[in-house]
Amino acid sequence: DAGVIQSPRHEVTEMGQEVTLRCKPISGHNSLFWYRQTMMRGLELLIYFNNNVPIDDSGMPEDRFSAKMPNASFSTLKIQPSEPRDSAVYFCASRAGLVNEKLFFGSGTQLSVL
Amino acid sequence: AQSVTQPDIHITVSEGASLELRCNYSYGATPYLFWYVQSPGQGLQLLLKYFSGDTLVQGIKGFEAEFKRSQSSFNLRKPSVHWSDAAEYFCAVGFTGGGNKLTFGTGTQLKVEL
């Protein structure tokens, strides 16, 4: 298996632009997580899905952020409009089973908003 | 709410020396506990986990961790550090009934001096 695949690897955009980050989880995994990592706040859970259904989006910072999982093999995280404070590394992770199972992380998307 | 504390932001050890990274959690129930490692530019990789049984767990790369309920701790140890262990280490906690999500600590950056 290729693991969790995220794209793009790097994204540089200007303030006000729409940004879409993409994630392909490992086949057969039923839970998908979006995390944001910054120096100041560490690794924050933004949202997670179970069987394609959003379960907890309490970590989504504001209405500018939205996430979808239209099927078991694809998820997007969208920021519209983007702001410089959104600059961070965004990770997608997937898992088979419940909380005691291993999380598999993608390599992340480095987002820079100028 | 569940929380994880990693009190050491940075640790420097000499190659061949022993290592202990601290992790404390807060919650009333029995936790699921994890240690993940992140190399530069990469996603997180699971080192080891605990959810029941023997409180001393062995992981990959020669790491081990001990769950101490009385101290709400899950410290990571390695008897002899190698230069390739330089990375950032994250402790994470989850609970049944905690919504299937993991809460990560802020990480400890390990530097290894040759």
Side-chain angles (χ1 to χ4, degrees):
Chain A
D1 199 312
V4 177
I5 300 172
Q6 290 186 248
S7 64
R9 193 69 197 273
H10 301 275
E11 176 81 34
V12 180
T13 190
E14 292 186 344
M15 183 174 63
Q17 296 299 305
E18 177 180 295
V19 175
T20 300
L21 310 181
R22 297 173 177 80
C23 176
K24 176 178 168 55
I26 292 173
S27 176
H29 284 191
N30 61 341
S31 295
L32 182 141
F33 302 77
W34 282 101
Y35 285 90
R36 177 173 68 176
Q37 185 177 35
T38 61
M39 290 290 292
M40 293 298 295
R41 301 175 69 90
L43 200 62
E44 303 173 274
L45 177 64
L46 299 177
I47 184 171
Y48 81 94
F49 296 83
N50 200 42
N51 294 322
N52 311 338
V53 176
I55 302 300
D56 184 349
D57 65 354
S58 59
M60 296 285 262
E62 357 181 332
D63 292 344
R64 297 184 296 106
F65 286 69
S66 63
K68 294 182 179 180
M69 192 165 186
N71 57 62
S73 59
F74 185 65
S75 177
T76 60
L77 178 67
K78 185 177 294 186
I79 308 172
Q80 168 63 22
S82 58
E83 296 182 3
R85 60 193 167 120
D86 302 330
S87 298
V89 181
Y90 291 81
F91 286 102
C92 176
S94 70
R95 183 178 70 200
L98 300 176
V99 67
N100 58 331
E101 294 296 331
K102 174 181 175 180
L103 265 182
F104 290 80
F105 282 79
S107 297
T109 294
Q110 174 77 60
L111 174 64
S112 297
V113 183
L114 307 177
Chain B
Q2 61 200 55
S3 68
V4 183
T5 302
Q6 292 182 248
D8 303 307
I9 299 174
H10 300 279
I11 283 186
T12 300
V13 298
S14 300
E15 189 176 37
S18 63
L19 171 71
E20 182 169 30
L21 303 182
R22 295 182 291 166
C23 173
N24 293 93
Y25 67 92
S26 67
Y27 197 73
T30 299
Y32 299 116
L33 295 158
F34 305 78
W35 275 99
Y36 283 82
V37 61
Q38 184 181 29
S39 298
Q42 299 297 317
L44 281 68
Q45 179 187 18
L46 180 68
L47 280 177
L48 47 79
K49 64 178 181 178
Y50 167 83
F51 54 92
S52 68
D54 193 345
T55 56
L56 182 65
V57 293
Q58 303 297 320
I60 62 172
K61 304 183 181 185
F63 285 92
E64 67 178 26
E66 186 171 14
F67 170 54
K68 293 185 177 180
R69 184 188 302 275
S70 62
Q71 298 176 18
S72 297
S73 70
F74 188 57
N75 294 348
L76 182 71
R77 300 194 294 250
K78 187 170 184 178
S80 177
V81 170
H82 188 262
W83 64 267
S84 60
D85 294 325
E88 188 155 21
Y89 292 80
F90 293 88
C91 182
V93 63
F95 301 90
T96 50
N100 278 335
K101 64 183 181 183
L102 284 188
T103 299
F104 283 84
T106 50
T108 297
Q109 185 71 50
L110 173 64
K111 180 180 176 182
V112 180
E113 292 182 332
L114 300 176

